[in-house]
Amino acid sequence: MAISPIALNAYRSAMGQTQGGMSIQKQVEGAVGSGASQTGFVDTLKNSVAEVNAEQLKKDRMVASFATGENQNVHELMIQLQKAGVAMSMTSAVRGKVLDMYRELVKMPF
């Protein structure tokens, strides 16, 4: 199952903003361009999972705020629900691909 470019762009758009407001891609380009050491796969994976977790926590806070009547902005709530959903879907898709790759590696004779 190939991930369509539209879904990938939506995921990058949803996850593109970090706390400092700079996109992850720009941070990586800046690090590579400045000669700084590149982050490894494990660090990238940890950062991505942390961002997905942050989106989920933000969604939970917004749902609780809406349920208690503190915030009545339905539009922002629905946008956050979609962001969290897309982030989780993409994380699940990546997890599935990694597991498929691992299964293929295990099958290989050495």
Side-chain angles (χ1 to χ4, degrees):
M1 174 178 101
I3 299 173
S4 71
I6 295 171
L8 189 56
N9 288 338
Y11 174 73
R12 287 180 179 157
S13 172
M15 299 306 296
Q17 296 297 321
T18 60
Q19 292 176 352
M22 184 185 298
S23 72
I24 295 172
Q25 183 178 3
K26 288 181 182 177
Q27 288 178 353
V28 170
E29 288 172 357
V32 171
S34 65
S37 65
Q38 296 180 9
T39 58
F41 176 75
V42 174
D43 293 332
T44 303
L45 188 62
K46 284 181 184 178
N47 291 339
S48 296
V49 170
E51 288 178 25
V52 171
N53 187 43
E55 289 291 329
Q56 292 293 325
L57 292 174
K58 184 176 178 183
K59 174 199 68 144
D60 291 341
R61 284 192 303 269
M62 289 184 77
V63 167
S65 173
F66 185 77
T68 58
E70 294 173 19
N71 188 359
Q72 296 295 323
N73 194 342
V74 177
H75 299 297
E76 287 182 17
L77 175 63
M78 295 307 293
I79 289 169
Q80 186 59 39
L81 288 170
Q82 289 298 317
K83 279 184 177 181
V86 167
M88 187 59 74
S89 296
M90 291 301 294
T91 303
S92 297
V94 169
R95 176 191 165 270
K97 289 293 183 181
V98 168
L99 287 175
D100 289 343
M101 182 178 50
Y102 173 75
R103 287 184 191 116
E104 288 296 318
L105 287 173
V106 168
K107 290 179 187 177
M108 287 183 173
F110 288 101

